[in-house]
Amino acid sequence: MTEPPLKWGILGTGWIAQRFTEDLLLLPGHTVSAVGSRVPQTAETFARQYGVERAWGSYEQLVADDEVDVVYVATPHTFHFAHATLALEAGRPVLVEKPFTANATDARRLVELARDRGLFAMEAMWTRFNPLIARLRELVADGAIGDVTSVYADFGTNAPYDPAHRLWSPELGGGALLDLGVYPLYFAWMLLGAPETVQATAATAPTGVDANTGIVLGYASGAVAVLHCSLTSGSPCTAVVNGTKGRVEVPSPFYSPHTLVLRREGAEPETFHLDVAGNGYGYQAEEVARRLRAGETESPVMPLDETLAIHGNLDTILARIERQAALTSRTPM
Ligand SMILES: NC(=O)C1=CN([C@@H]2O[C@H](COP(=O)(O)OP(=O)(O)OC[C@H]3O[C@@H](n4cnc5c(N)ncnc54)[C@H](OP(=O)(O)O)[C@@H]3O)[C@@H](O)[C@H]2O)C=CC1
Ligand SMILES: O=C1CO[C@H](CO)[C@@H](O)[C@@H]1O
């Protein structure tokens, strides 16, 4: 018997809400049932553009809509906690944009709420659901490159400086780490787990947020991760997983890959390709549908305990950066 479509409610109407909605519209078994905005006119414009049935002029009305099976939270980082809480308290499962929350304390409170209510929650770390990333995990687990000794990963864009924009505004959770650095960091955690040691340094923007940030993580196995993120340079956005018997290269954009190159020692390179569907966000939506249909409250691919642990790691990195920023007046502007 065919399942009824999963009915999404989109909370917020900005850049990523539009890209994610475009991908949902391509997916069989999914429908965008409603959209909510702070401004009624904005919700109506969005609904007209994407053929969404119901447009709500407040987030409260969106989460109260019984035609919504799952709410996608697409507001700036510092609102994820409040808006996901709103949805969970109305009895709706949530897919919450990255970072899950702006700090580890809020992440823990949100996970506790979802678990108390028995509702599905997941951080929208979409990279994890790209089929080539699944292939990479299998290759590494099968020993294709031996033991992992290091991970390099980088995500940098040259973002125009605008102190009011969410990328640069401390009130909206701005900074390279929370916007872009989460991709290299989650990638390293996926392959190496929790680090034993954490080093980080950053140049800060005039608003005080981190603008160009380097992180070095050390592991009990002896492996290291060397990670970079930047709002001030369009860096390569590639990743490499090095092992004792070879390496896997993930060309740009490593956070939504279309190619993997496996270089085993003594063998010809093997290349794996993927025609990424749409904007690449549909794979995580399919995971949400799978878990909800199975009656599960979280995804084993992006588990809530890992989200919590990484948010603790993010807090540590931010503390290191803040301490270092207090000692220097360097800025990249
Ligand atoms: N997975 C990915 O590839 C990406 C993820 N993201 C994540 O998505 C989130 C949103 O980013 P993005 O779409 O670029 O942001 P935008 O600024 O484009 O959109 C954010 C939306 O949030 C709503 N909002 C609610 N309160 C505020 C506020 N005080 N200030 C501004 N907007 C507010 C607005 O919708 P309304 O006016 O309708 O209420 C607004 O359109 C971030 O957490 C980011 O990390 C962003 C880009 C890509
Ligand atoms: O998650 C993201 C992916 O890429 C964008 C830039 O290219 C970011 O700004 C964003 O938040």
Side-chain angles (χ1 to χ4, degrees), residues 49-320:
Q49 182 171 358
Y50 295 105
V52 176
E53 230 169 81
R54 282 179 313 289
W56 296 112
S58 75
Y59 299 151
E60 287 76 8
Q61 286 171 293
L62 173 79
V63 302
D65 183 340
D66 284 330
E67 289 300 306
V68 168
D69 294 330
V70 55
V71 171
Y72 169 60
V73 176
T75 49
H77 317 336
T78 42
F79 295 101
H80 291 177
F81 173 73
H83 295 152
T85 296
L86 199 65
L88 290 167
E89 284 181 343
R92 313 272 168 231
V94 287
L95 174 65
V96 184
E97 258 311 333
K98 36 64 55 180
F100 191 61
T101 57
N103 58 62
T105 304
D106 285 352
R108 177 155 293 103
R109 289 163 67 202
L110 200 53
V111 167
E112 279 169 9
L113 176 62
R115 287 179 173 160
D116 284 353
R117 303 279 168 129
L119 290 168
F120 177 89
M122 189 178 95
E123 182 176 14
M125 182 38 73
W126 56 304
T127 305
R128 293 255 169 130
F129 305 97
N130 174 296
L132 281 184
I133 293 292
R135 174 63 75 92
L136 166 68
R137 295 182 86 163
E138 281 166 17
L139 289 169
V140 171
D142 291 349
I145 58 167
D147 297 328
V148 176
T149 55
S150 59
V151 169
Y152 314 149
D154 157 77
F155 193 165
T157 59
N158 200 344
Y161 181 64
D162 170 1
H165 190 276
R166 72 166 186 86
L167 288 177
W168 303 97
S169 154
E171 291 72 34
L172 298 177
L177 179 67
L178 292 183
D179 196 58
L180 305 176
V182 290
Y183 290 100
L185 189 65
Y186 276 72
F187 186 79
W189 271 77
M190 179 183 83
L191 293 156
L192 290 166
E196 295 281 309
T197 61
V198 180
Q199 289 166 295
T201 189
T204 47
T207 52
V209 305
D210 67 299
N212 187 38
T213 306
I215 302 161
V216 179
L217 305 175
Y219 299 85
S221 66
V224 294
V226 179
L227 315 174
H228 169 247
C229 55
S230 180
L231 293 174
T232 58
S233 59
S235 53
C237 299
T238 57
V240 183
V241 188
N242 297 296
T244 49
K245 294 181 180 162
R247 65 177 185 271
V248 184
E249 297 167 357
V250 194
S252 183
F254 90 88
Y255 53 87
S256 177
H258 47 70
T259 308
L260 286 186
V261 184
L262 169 63
R263 297 183 190 276
R264 298 180 205 248
E265 274 180 14
E268 287 300 309
E270 289 171 63
T271 303
F272 304 87
H273 289 291
L274 169 75
D275 284 328
V276 174
N279 302 314
Y281 299 108
Y283 305 115
Q284 67 181 357
E286 286 174 325
E287 172 73 353
V288 173
R290 251 190 313 274
R291 299 299 155 200
L292 286 175
R293 285 176 180 143
E296 294 169 19
T297 51
E298 60 184 285
S299 164
V301 182
M302 188 62 262
L304 291 171
D305 282 341
E306 192 179 352
T307 282
L308 284 180
I310 299 178
H311 277 60
N313 198 185
L314 284 166
D315 278 5
T316 304
I317 295 167
L318 284 170
R320 300 267 192 281

